[in-house]
Amino acid sequence: MINKDNNSKIDILSLTLDELTDVVSELGEKAFRAKQIFQWLHQKRVRTFDEMTNISAQFRAKLQDYFCIKSLFVCKRLESDNDNTVKYLYELEDGNHIESVLMEYNHGNTLCVSTQVGCKMGCRFCASTIAGFKRDLLASEILLQIYEAERDSGRHISGVVLMGIGEPLDNYDNVINFLTLLSCPEGANISLRHVSLSTCGLVPKIYELAKLKLGLTLSISLHAPDNKARSEIMPVNDRYDINELMKACHSYFETTGRRISFEYALIDDHNDSFEDAQKLAKLLKNFICHVNIIPVNKIKERNFKSDRKSAYRFQKYLDELGVNATVRRTLGADIDAACGQLRREYEI
Ligand code: SAH
């Protein structure tokens, strides 16, 4: 569970309070010290051990020997003129880049975070996958996207969506660790009720996640109502087809009692007809869920397109068929706020 960097120092920001408590007692210190250190890191957000002034100089030196405090650097910041959306390009310590998007809603600020450097899933319409997969993010690197966005913007973040670069369920252990850290009362203390996790449909991991009963909202990137249309745009459908996926979704709902949200990126002439809406309605029949229609964001490497007018038309179809659906608000359209597009400019 404990991640070590090149110098074999322990990545302290990835340790849960329980793990930190164990390590601190191994080092011969009282358990309450772990809580103090945890609060310095996750609430006061210090970047050096020397700033932990209620810890003795001797123990701080020991901490310095055993642990490292990871950091992220704001490499580029794009601010929207239309709304309060801010897009961050972060540089990781190893020189890789990831993106986060800060969005303002009525109920507060939400950050869309990345979970991997690149992505293996290969969805045809997605910019995150084009440069390929580099590596998983550590729990600390997911968390730091929030800490740095708060520090940089001066805005308080109360919600998180795991919808940036990467497939969260393909980096399962680090993501679960991140969620534990995020919701810890001695840390950022963000309730998992304000967290959404989006997956392209890694079925075995959906069952695993259900067992944890975390209270977050699960979003499924469905994007097509039948196997043929889905396989054409999402290679993951050849591993876990729609039937298996829907079975996992029903089981998730039964286990957790949480309503699932289905993402549907509308693509002209691919999945936007009345017949598609009928198939979707049949698929979701008797299922307590919500469909989020997103006009596909144009990426320069592909020809897929759609617009808000088609999205509202498709919503009307679904409405007539009794399916609860909304068209996702477009935020930061002037800064290309869709994930993966900024990082692409930095990858050779
Ligand atoms: N890998 C996860 C989460 C990251 S993508 C997943 O697949 O769900 C977050 C959401 O953005 C997914 O629903 C994804 O399918 C969607 N998405 C990616 N590229 C898009 C684009 N060009 N237009 C609209 N939605 C897109």
Side-chain angles (χ1 to χ4, degrees):
M1 201 65 160
I2 292 171
N3 299 301
K4 295 192 171 194
D5 73 3
N6 293 339
N7 308 318
S8 284
K9 285 192 182 179
I10 298 168
D11 165 20
I12 196 166
L13 279 170
S14 286
L15 297 185
T16 62
L17 183 54
D18 286 347
E19 289 168 337
L20 186 61
T21 306
D22 287 347
V23 188
V24 160
S25 25
E26 270 172 44
L27 293 175
E29 285 282 337
K30 299 238 161 55
F32 77 93
R33 292 279 172 222
K35 195 165 152 186
Q36 288 177 328
I37 297 166
F38 196 86
Q39 287 169 335
W40 278 113
L41 293 167
H42 297 281
Q43 291 184 340
K44 301 187 188 97
R45 317 256 170 101
V46 298
R47 297 195 238 200
T48 61
F49 292 110
D50 280 341
E51 290 164 82
M52 302 180 176
T53 46
N54 57 0
I55 308 285
S56 73
Q58 203 186 7
F59 190 45
R60 286 196 320 248
K62 216 173 190 181
L63 291 173
Q64 184 80 48
D65 276 352
Y66 282 87
F67 301 101
C68 63
I69 305 177
K70 293 228 166 264
S71 47
L72 280 190
F73 310 95
V74 177
C75 185
K76 198 166 173 177
R77 174 196 311 101
L78 295 177
E79 289 170 64
S80 169
D81 291 330
N82 304 349
D83 44 60
N84 271 329
T85 305
V86 184
K87 182 158 183 171
Y88 289 102
L89 181 78
Y90 289 118
E91 186 164 312
L92 301 165
E93 286 181 6
D94 64 1
N96 276 309
H97 295 98
I98 50 167
E99 296 174 20
S100 307
V101 184
L102 178 58
M103 298 164 290
E104 189 177 70
Y105 292 99
N106 293 338
H107 51 80
N109 294 303
T110 291
L111 193 74
C112 174
V113 296
S114 296
T115 53
Q116 294 178 312
V117 183
C119 186
K120 297 175 205 160
M121 301 299 127
C123 298
R124 296 277 303 149
F125 47 82
C126 182
S128 301
T129 208
I130 290 170
F133 173 79
K134 289 263 177 68
R135 68 170 175 86
D136 286 330
L137 291 182
L138 303 168
S140 57
E141 292 169 322
I142 310 175
L143 206 54
L144 279 167
Q145 295 171 55
I146 301 162
Y147 296 178
E148 287 310 313
E150 282 196 333
R151 199 193 307 262
D152 182 83
S153 66
R155 286 156 64 180
H156 173 67
I157 292 169
S158 54
V160 177
V161 294
L162 286 78
M163 293 191 183
I165 298 171
E167 167 50 49
L169 296 188
D170 188 41
N171 184 14
Y172 188 82
D173 291 345
N174 288 332
V175 163
I176 298 302
N177 215 8
F178 156 74
L179 295 171
T180 309
L181 286 161
L182 182 73
S183 55
C184 180
E186 283 82 12
N189 196 17
I190 295 184
S191 159
L192 295 185
R193 299 261 161 194
H194 301 148
V195 174
S196 292
L197 183 152
S198 179
T199 177
C200 63
L202 296 183
V203 164
K205 296 292 177 191
I206 294 175
Y207 286 107
E208 238 180 277
L209 184 69
K211 283 192 214 138
L212 301 179
K213 298 190 184 170
L214 291 182
L216 49 73
T217 300
L218 182 66
S219 287
I220 302 287
S221 299
L222 188 60
H223 303 327
D226 61 55
N227 282 321
K228 184 173 175 295
R230 193 164 190 264
S231 284
E232 275 169 20
I233 51 173
M234 300 180 72
V236 69
N237 197 65
D238 295 334
R239 264 160 83 196
Y240 308 109
D241 71 11
I242 289 190
N243 291 342
E244 284 178 81
L245 179 58
M246 290 311 295
K247 231 196 256 168
C249 289
H250 279 286
S251 162
Y252 186 91
F253 179 73
E254 275 155 30
T255 310
T256 64
R258 303 282 298 162
R259 187 177 77 152
I260 290 184
S261 175
F262 289 95
E263 308 291 307
Y264 197 92
L266 206 67
I267 303 171
D268 281 0
D269 303 324
H270 184 74
N271 60 7
D272 64 339
S273 68
F274 185 67
E275 201 194 337
D276 291 318
Q278 282 177 311
K279 284 187 199 160
L280 187 59
K282 199 168 158 207
L283 199 63
L284 302 180
K285 205 170 152 225
N286 302 327
F287 196 19
I288 300 169
C289 63
H290 174 258
V291 176
N292 212 345
I293 305 165
I294 319 152
V296 75
N297 256 303
K298 214 171 156 26
I299 58 169
K300 61 173 180 285
E301 291 84 354
R302 305 271 190 262
N303 240 344
F304 298 120
K305 57 178 185 334
S306 183
D307 55 30
R308 295 193 72 75
K309 223 171 99 194
S310 322
Y312 286 119
R313 191 183 53 227
F314 198 74
Q315 183 193 22
K316 204 163 147 267
Y317 293 160
L318 289 179
D319 196 42
E320 283 164 19
L321 295 161
V323 178
N324 174 11
T326 47
V327 176
R328 186 188 286 170
R329 239 176 96 202
T330 308
L331 289 174
D334 56 329
I335 54 168
D336 254 0
C339 61
Q341 306 198 19
L342 200 53
R343 171 176 171 257
R344 284 281 296 127
E345 295 168 18
Y346 278 72
E347 305 294 317
I348 304 138

